[in-house]
């Protein structure tokens, strides 16, 4: 599955869709991820999205509207990709390894340099924009809950020791995986981030 194969096109006040909304949002989120919200200009967004300024304003209202739509698109697609990565893992521990590896591989090379739209929003916008802060909070809570659920699954199926403090470990792993995305902006090597993933898994020993 690629980022442009999931259709979460918003309904635009009853107007028929005149362009590929998902493809346009994928380009917008690339600009926001690379440049940040404030540095991204409408002209950059319209060029990347292949739209006129008028089409962007009609569809999204303003730059903030584009950002919110791109944020939701990003989260939805990432969750689908993560679910696919975890699906074939046999137990709670293996599912967590797949999850941590997913973040490690997203945090190196050119992909890593683009960063994470959720993490970037937490540092750039959440303090000043209540709606964005709410979205970031929901995203972080969701990720922490998934980690916690997988730890408890592992403790139930025997792949993770019962002495592990599930809640503390889940929070620590959330911090580490989000930190990977920040460090990834510096262009870390693939093997470096995979080594970080291995150390992260030692929290479950």
């Amino acid at each position: 599955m690629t980022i442009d194969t999931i259709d979460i096109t918003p309904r635009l006040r009853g107007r028929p869709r005149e362009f590929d909304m998902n493809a346009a949002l994928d380009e917008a989120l690339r600009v926001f991820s690379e440049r940040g919200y404030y540095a991204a200009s409408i002209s950059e967004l319209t060029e990347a999205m292949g739209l006129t300024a008028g089409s962007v304003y009609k569809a999204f209202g303003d730059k903030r509207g584009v950002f919110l739509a791109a944020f939701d698109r990003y989260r939805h697609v990432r969750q689908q990709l993560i679910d696919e990565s975890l699906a074939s893992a046999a137990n709670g521990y293996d599912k967590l390894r797949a999850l941590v590896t997913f973040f490690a591989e997203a945090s190196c090379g050119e992909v890593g340099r683009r960063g994470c739209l959720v993490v970037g929003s937490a540092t750039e916008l959440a303090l000043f924009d209540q709606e964005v802060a709410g979205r970031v909070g929901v995203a972080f809570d969701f990720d922490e809950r998934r980690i916690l659920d997988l730890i408890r699954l592992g403790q139930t199926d025997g792949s993770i020791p019962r002495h592990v403090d599930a809640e503390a470990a889940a929070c620590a792993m959330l911090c580490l995986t989000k930190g990977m995305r920040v460090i990834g902006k510096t262009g870390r090597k693939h093997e470096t981030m995979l080594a970080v993933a291995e150390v992260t898994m030692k929290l479950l020993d």
Side-chain angles (χ1 to χ4, degrees):
M1 179 179 297
T2 62
I3 198 168
D4 58 356
T5 58
I6 302 172
D7 187 358
I8 57 167
T9 306
R11 299 186 181 278
L12 303 179
R13 307 183 189 90
R15 289 171 52 86
R17 185 171 52 149
E18 299 173 353
F19 54 88
D20 187 332
M21 180 68 72
N22 286 339
L25 287 176
D26 290 343
E27 291 303 314
L29 71 86
R30 178 182 59 79
V31 173
F32 284 126
S33 294
E34 292 176 351
R35 296 189 53 75
Y37 177 78
Y38 291 111
S41 67
I42 282 290
S43 60
E44 287 175 308
L45 288 167
T46 56
E47 181 178 358
M49 297 169 77
L51 302 175
T52 65
S55 294
V56 170
Y57 286 123
K58 286 178 182 178
F60 303 102
D62 54 17
K63 184 175 84 168
R64 184 172 178 275
V66 177
F67 177 83
L68 293 175
F71 185 100
D72 292 342
R73 165 78 174 159
Y74 178 81
R75 278 207 65 217
H76 184 87
V77 172
R78 298 292 287 187
Q79 299 316 318
Q80 292 286 332
L81 295 175
I82 289 172
D83 287 345
E84 287 185 0
S85 296
L86 272 56
S88 61
N91 54 46
Y93 183 89
D94 288 346
K95 288 180 184 294
L96 276 167
R97 179 182 288 280
L99 179 65
V100 173
T101 300
F102 179 93
F103 282 107
E105 292 182 337
S107 303
C108 55
E110 288 305 310
V111 174
R113 286 184 184 278
R114 292 181 183 177
C116 169
L117 196 64
V118 176
V119 172
S121 300
T123 57
E124 185 181 18
L125 291 172
L127 183 63
F128 308 103
D129 189 312
Q130 186 174 2
E131 185 173 1
V132 173
R135 275 174 159 81
V136 170
V138 168
F140 282 3
D141 287 346
F142 179 90
D143 288 348
E144 185 174 4
R145 170 55 63 178
R146 174 165 48 196
I147 295 171
L148 179 59
D149 288 345
L150 292 177
I151 292 173
R152 288 176 172 164
L153 173 63
Q155 290 177 323
T156 299
D157 64 34
S159 60
I160 296 173
R162 288 192 175 274
H163 67 74
V164 171
D165 184 328
E167 291 186 358
C171 186
M173 294 183 84
L174 176 74
C175 293
L176 287 167
T177 52
K178 298 311 178 189
M180 288 181 191
R181 302 309 309 275
V182 176
I183 296 299
K185 294 282 286 184
T186 65
R188 294 302 180 106
K189 295 181 179 179
H190 184 256
E191 57 267 29
T192 299
M193 299 314 296
L194 287 181
V196 172
E198 288 300 315
V199 173
T200 300
M201 292 303 295
K202 291 184 182 298
L203 289 169
L204 305 176
D205 290 347

